[in-house]
Amino acid sequence: MAVVGVLALQGSYNEHMSALRRIGVKGVEVRKPEQLQGLDSLIIPGGESTTMAKLANYHNLFPALREFVGAGKPVWGTCAGLIFLANKAVGQKLGGQELVGGLDCTVHRNFFGSQLQSFETELSVPMLADKEGGSNTCRGVFIRAPAILEVGSDVEILAECPVPSGRPSITIPSAEGVEYFADKML
Ligand SMILES: NC(=O)CC[C@H](N)C(=O)O
């Protein structure tokens, strides 16, 4: 039986562990480098990537995480987890933060603004219907969410969430801007 690791330093690791339990998959909380051994895949959850990076540094997890990603094992990063996996991040706190890397993309850490600009929207994911049957949409929950600004030619995009063109990526968007963006998606 496949064993899925969940990086359990900070953020929504409990929710991922319960989701794995619900579907009958064995999940293991990962806090130390040696706990990555023997895992088939890894989930890096959402949370706060700067804090998560500090904790990962404290536990000396970065080399083992890079080795895991480099070995080509499946790794799923949501929100802060995505930031961890990006080759490059912008909009970081002063002094920057360490990344695991491996996913050929540039992310903006807080693209949509502060916690108050968090939103949900229905995303079109045609591949869901093609491969899994059923609905071709998925509810996207954007909590102080990052955005992927650029991807390398080898990255396959499964869903896109368009933003109004011309908006500078570094400024924090107004509530109206986010409303406009959410309206476009509904
Ligand atoms: N929901 C999230 O994981 C938000 C990520 C957050 N913007 C960060 O910098 O880590």
Side-chain angles (χ1 to χ4, degrees):
M1 188 204 209
V3 182
V4 180
V6 179
L7 191 64
L9 299 173
Q10 187 269 343
S12 61
Y13 59 87
N14 268 328
E15 287 78 357
H16 281 285
M17 289 295 292
S18 340
L20 290 172
R21 257 194 308 276
R22 270 201 308 276
I23 58 169
V25 172
K26 184 172 164 54
V28 169
E29 293 186 7
V30 174
R31 293 191 183 82
K32 295 179 180 158
E34 58 271 24
Q35 291 169 328
L36 285 163
Q37 270 156 31
L39 298 178
D40 296 287
S41 54
L42 179 68
I43 297 171
I44 307 182
E48 208 290 316
S49 62
T50 313
T51 311
M52 223 185 266
K54 282 187 179 156
L55 290 167
N57 251 322
Y58 179 80
H59 293 286
N60 191 31
L61 267 159
F62 276 106
L65 286 170
R66 286 194 192 106
E67 197 181 310
F68 195 90
V69 171
K73 294 192 180 178
V75 182
W76 172 26
T78 70
C79 294
L82 159 72
I83 299 170
F84 252 52
L85 289 177
N87 279 352
K88 188 175 167 206
V90 296
Q92 291 171 309
K93 286 206 174 124
L94 207 64
Q97 71 196 48
E98 197 161 347
L99 304 173
V100 174
L103 181 59
D104 188 9
C105 71
T106 302
V107 290
H108 186 302
R109 255 189 76 229
N110 292 317
F111 183 82
F112 300 94
S114 72
Q115 189 75 5
L116 289 175
Q117 272 97 39
S118 300
F119 62 97
E120 292 186 24
T121 190
E122 210 64 21
L123 291 171
S124 164
V125 193
M127 219 171 154
L128 269 180
D130 292 352
K131 297 242 159 164
E132 311 284 336
S135 167
N136 63 356
T137 63
C138 172
R139 191 85 185 149
V141 182
F142 294 74
I143 304 171
R144 210 154 74 98
I148 298 176
L149 306 180
E150 277 172 11
V151 292
S153 54
D154 285 344
V155 175
E156 185 185 0
I157 298 169
L158 301 181
E160 282 186 278
C161 192
V163 292
S165 65
R167 186 160 69 70
S169 57
I170 306 294
T171 52
I172 292 175
S174 63
E176 293 77 32
V178 173
E179 246 166 49
Y180 167 82
F181 157 67
D183 277 354
K184 285 260 160 212
M185 290 301 300
L186 293 170

